[in-house]
Amino acid sequence: MLEKIKKEWFSNVRADILAGAVVALALIPEAIAFSIIAGVDPMVGLYASFLIAVTIAFVGGRPGMISAATGAMALLMVPLVKEYGLDYLLAATVLTGVIQILFGVFKIAKLMKFIPRAVMIGFVNALAILVFLAQVPHILGESTVTYIFVAITLVIVYVLPRFVKSIPAPLIAIIALTAVTLYAGIDMKVVGDLGGITKSLPEFFIPNIPFTFETLAIIFPYSIALAIVGLLESLLTASIVDDMTGTDSNKNKEAKGQGIANIITGFFGGMAGCAMIGQSVINVKSGGRGRLSTLVAGLLLMFLIIVLGDLVVQIPMPVLVGIMIMVCIGTFDWSSFSYLRKAPRSDAIVMLTTVIIVVATHDLSKGVIAGVILSTIFFVAKIAKIRVIEKQGDDFIHFVIEGQLFFASVEEFIDAFNYTVENRNIIIDFTESHVWDDSAVGAIDKVVLKYRERQNIVTIEGLDSSSEKMVEKLAIYKKTNTISN
Amino acid sequence: MYEKILLAADGSENSLRASVEAIKIASMNSECKVDIIYVADFAKSKNEILHTQGKEALDFSRRQKLIPIQELLQAKNIPYTTNILRGEPGPTIIRYANEHAFELVVIGSRGLNALQEMVLGSVSHKVVKRVNCPVLIVK
């Protein structure tokens, strides 16, 4: 136990602190931008990022992963905030945490492996598109200077890292362009215009909502969606960090940890969050491996806001928008275009459907659910293909069955036979098949009885042991083994 | 001749050509061992996780890339080991090479033009500059 604590916290101290500092700086613009997307004060996202990162550092299941306020979660909250306000969002955040803990306790996190790749690819693409669309109103219809600032920001964040590696380029863009705006007195929308920064630590309070069934009915659908999306992105991120570090993580502990973090953030005025792919990759790349990196990221973020809050409100919106465009480009899976061409048609359709439903409904959870259902249907359709191969012998007809016999394939199975023969020996061979359920046995019965009607002798062979058991137990033809009529 | 050769490979055409050269050198000394390393690139991790179903499948697909190279070495009876490392390709190869005191590093070159090299960065150039032993770059 002590050994584990030592390894997870103190085996990589120097690099963890440095990486945590890099992440803290990268988190600030995102926390602000995601608050703006959700329609709440920047402080709601900043407090969330501080509280979630710090909590997860202790209770998360994947050391070195960064969790905070995220775009995926912010997008889900928009209608709730618009209609009911911040207090309902905080209550929904707490409830999200409770649901996630239940997911962790009942090991539902394990079910995530049933979510097909196509759906996950659709998920990240839809997320990137939605976050990008949320930036558009801040660009279009604003001044010409806005366009120029967005462009300059993009140039800085993409070109500068080729030459300057030690300082994160988005930070340079923010400092340089904020300084330019202040000195030149350029009139531009700044972060402060969209909400204030409070230079104090978050405080505990119970969301001001009526504790009624009606309230629960309002927040519950949001909390479920937040819980699912939060876990989905967290577990995807955990897999990426697992792969980058070549180590394993505890997925159910992570689910519970996300839940605890959301409950705490909800009671301290922060919005629901989850793990962040981009930030976690930055952390690992910068050398972060242990829990200390996540803790440092959260603590330093809060410290910077308390010390530099006055400057943060001066950040021009176009710079923030430019950085968010970079985040979208980084989130989008650009190999999707070749995936669409190369992957099986059904996978491509699932991926596109997921994206389209998310973009149409602005709800990531709906896209994921639709994608999972659609791919299940495709899977059943694919596996329900059954072939009956007919071989004529001298005094018998041999039918070889290839494929799975179950409720979805019985109709095709029954129709595949030619029932006009009379007085023949018929062998139906199940070596290449498996009998799955009642309807499969029913179908075999139907075929056998139909042949017997015309004085044929039917032999069933090649059943594997579990198919055999099922046929023994359920088949009628076994009980009326003489030729009827 | 050399007794400890590092062969940095990614399974590409260039790395196959590099392997052929590494084998030529290694066959000159029956004591020579080849250490094949493959770097799972940090920058590709997200993409690979998204496009592979599960950890085992991903690990398998990485090992699969090295099979043709292993076959070449087996055919010539050259002893070898295989390692999959994680990180940014250039720095990771350099660190591994310097930590394990190799006598020679063999690596393929993608043959990028000036613009590509500015954007993508040349792994073999970085390796040549910072590895403490001779480096053979194979075009």
Side-chain angles (χ1 to χ4, degrees):
Chain A
M1 184 66 192
L2 210 66
E3 192 63 25
K4 199 178 173 202
I5 292 174
K6 208 175 144 193
K7 184 172 173 287
E8 290 186 350
W9 280 96
F10 304 113
S11 60
N12 188 33
V13 174
R14 216 181 86 92
D16 275 353
I17 292 174
L18 282 174
V22 172
V23 172
L25 296 169
L27 272 177
I28 293 174
E30 289 193 23
I32 295 171
F34 295 144
S35 307
I36 293 168
I37 289 178
V40 293
D41 245 27
M43 281 325 284
V44 179
L46 289 165
Y47 279 158
S49 296
F50 162 59
L51 292 160
I52 294 171
V54 169
T55 313
I56 280 292
F58 293 94
V59 298
R62 173 63 257 181
M65 182 160 82
I66 304 296
S67 297
T70 57
M73 302 294 256
L75 288 160
L76 290 170
M77 303 164 185
V78 177
L80 180 66
V81 174
K82 211 182 240 171
E83 278 181 55
Y84 299 97
L86 178 63
D87 282 292
Y88 278 79
L89 169 62
L90 299 180
T93 299
V94 173
L95 185 57
T96 301
V98 174
I99 295 169
Q100 286 179 328
I101 290 178
L102 291 176
F103 280 177
V105 170
F106 294 111
K107 310 218 183 308
I108 289 180
K110 275 202 160 168
L111 294 179
M112 294 287 176
K113 72 170 177 227
F114 291 113
I115 296 179
R117 282 176 293 176
V119 176
M120 289 312 299
I121 299 169
F123 176 87
V124 298
N125 288 343
L127 173 60
I129 293 170
L130 284 191
V131 173
F132 178 79
L133 289 178
Q135 306 309 313
V136 174
H138 298 295
I139 309 174
L140 292 181
E142 300 284 334
S143 54
T144 322
V145 192
T146 304
Y147 293 111
I148 296 170
F149 264 63
V150 172
I152 295 175
T153 307
L154 285 170
V155 169
I156 293 177
V157 295
Y158 279 108
V159 176
L160 213 60
R162 308 270 164 243
F163 308 102
V164 186
K165 292 210 191 294
S166 45
I167 311 166
L171 184 70
I172 299 175
I174 288 178
I175 293 173
L177 292 176
T178 307
V180 167
T181 326
L182 288 177
Y183 279 110
I186 301 168
D187 182 33
M188 207 169 356
K189 221 193 220 169
V190 294
V191 167
D193 295 337
L194 293 156
I197 295 279
T198 327
K199 296 202 291 174
S200 63
L201 287 169
E203 281 166 20
F204 176 87
F205 66 94
I206 292 173
N208 180 21
I209 47 155
F211 289 91
T212 59
F213 185 75
E214 206 190 345
T215 308
L216 186 66
I218 293 167
I219 63 172
F220 188 72
Y222 288 100
S223 296
I224 275 281
L226 287 165
I228 293 173
V229 168
L231 279 188
L232 204 62
E233 189 170 354
S234 299
L235 297 179
L236 174 64
T237 311
S239 305
I240 294 169
V241 177
D242 284 356
D243 181 53
M244 289 177 79
T245 57
T247 52
D248 274 327
S249 59
N250 184 336
K251 305 285 193 294
N252 284 315
K253 185 176 178 191
E254 183 59 43
K256 280 181 263 181
Q258 291 287 333
I260 296 168
N262 277 326
I263 292 175
I264 292 177
T265 190
F267 279 124
F268 281 87
M271 64 198 226
C274 63
M276 313 174 83
I277 300 173
Q279 300 289 343
S280 301
V281 170
I282 292 176
N283 189 38
V284 176
K285 268 190 182 168
S286 315
R289 293 291 182 278
R291 295 181 179 273
L292 194 60
S293 59
T294 317
L295 182 68
V296 169
L299 290 177
L300 189 63
L301 172 136
M302 202 61 240
F303 175 77
L304 288 170
I305 292 302
I306 290 176
V307 177
L308 302 171
D310 298 330
L311 286 172
V312 171
V313 289
Q314 300 294 340
I315 299 172
M317 272 309 288
V319 179
L320 200 57
V321 167
I323 292 170
M324 290 319 290
I325 292 174
M326 175 196 80
V327 170
C328 294
I329 293 172
T331 303
F332 195 87
D333 176 48
W334 293 96
S335 60
S336 296
F337 294 106
S338 66
Y339 177 81
L340 282 179
R341 274 183 285 115
K342 287 181 196 152
R345 185 55 56 83
S346 58
D347 284 358
I349 292 171
V350 168
M351 198 274 269
L352 280 179
T353 309
T354 307
V355 173
I356 290 167
I357 290 185
V358 173
V359 174
T361 61
H362 280 235
D363 186 335
L364 283 156
S365 63
K366 285 188 184 128
V368 169
I369 292 166
V372 169
I373 293 173
L374 190 62
S375 51
T376 310
I377 294 171
F378 279 137
F379 178 73
V380 172
K382 191 174 122 194
I383 204 153
K385 287 231 163 60
I386 195 156
R387 293 207 315 149
V388 177
I389 300 155
E390 186 178 336
K391 286 176 193 158
Q392 292 282 351
D394 292 338
D395 53 354
F396 62 88
I397 309 171
H398 195 169
F399 290 105
V400 178
I401 315 301
E402 279 180 6
Q404 311 297 317
L405 191 59
F406 66 116
F407 65 88
S409 61
V410 289
E411 205 179 307
E412 209 181 328
F413 172 76
I414 293 170
D415 292 345
F417 290 94
N418 166 18
Y419 297 105
T420 52
V421 293
E422 283 178 14
N423 291 316
R424 295 289 295 271
N425 262 323
I426 288 168
I427 300 165
I428 306 179
D429 184 352
F430 281 87
T431 313
E432 303 292 318
S433 179
H434 185 86
V435 178
W436 285 100
D437 55 10
D438 300 8
S439 44
V441 179
I444 297 173
D445 265 341
K446 203 164 174 181
V447 172
V448 172
L449 297 179
K450 266 194 173 178
Y451 276 123
R452 282 182 183 169
E453 271 173 23
R454 288 177 180 266
Q455 280 74 43
N456 299 293
I457 297 169
V458 186
T459 319
I460 304 283
E461 59 175 44
L463 286 171
D464 59 30
S465 62
S466 71
S467 302
E468 177 86 57
K469 253 181 231 157
M470 182 138 6
V471 171
E472 258 335 302
K473 212 166 79 186
L474 301 168
I476 300 167
Y477 79 87
K478 290 264 182 186
K479 281 135 203 164
T480 57
N481 64 353
T482 45
I483 295 164
S484 51
N485 301 339
Chain B
M1 277 311 282
Y2 302 112
E3 287 186 2
K4 220 178 151 196
I5 297 177
L6 176 66
L7 173 60
D10 60 359
S12 64
E13 278 292 315
N14 323 304
S15 72
L16 266 176
R17 282 198 294 275
S19 311
V20 173
E21 298 307 314
I23 287 169
K24 281 185 201 163
I25 297 168
S27 355
M28 288 191 264
N29 180 352
S30 59
E31 298 291 302
C32 183
K33 284 197 190 103
V34 176
D35 196 344
I36 311 169
I37 58 167
Y38 173 91
V39 183
D41 190 349
F42 273 173
K44 289 183 185 152
S45 189
K46 181 192 117 196
N47 179 291
E48 288 175 331
I49 286 284
L50 270 178
H51 287 269
T52 329
Q53 196 83 54
K55 217 171 121 164
E56 282 70 30
L58 182 53
D59 191 53
F60 177 73
S61 80
R62 284 176 183 151
R63 294 195 174 276
Q64 219 177 9
K65 287 182 184 156
L66 297 179
I67 289 175
I69 295 170
Q70 292 171 330
E71 280 171 353
L72 288 176
L73 284 149
Q74 270 161 12
K76 300 279 178 195
N77 279 324
I78 296 165
Y80 67 88
T81 49
T82 313
N83 270 304
I84 294 194
L85 309 176
R86 295 175 158 80
E88 287 166 55
T92 309
I93 295 169
I94 293 159
R95 202 177 328 113
Y96 189 83
N98 290 342
E99 275 171 11
H100 294 81
F102 285 97
E103 292 165 290
L104 176 71
V105 173
V106 182
I107 184 170
S109 156
R110 284 178 290 185
L112 304 176
N113 63 35
L115 178 72
Q116 286 169 318
E117 218 178 287
M118 198 193 106
V119 181
L120 301 169
S122 166
V123 174
S124 51
H125 276 190
K126 279 184 204 154
V127 170
V128 165
K129 263 193 272 177
R130 289 173 40 206
V131 163
N132 304 329
C133 70
V135 176
L136 174 65
I137 297 183
V138 180
K139 284 206 295 178

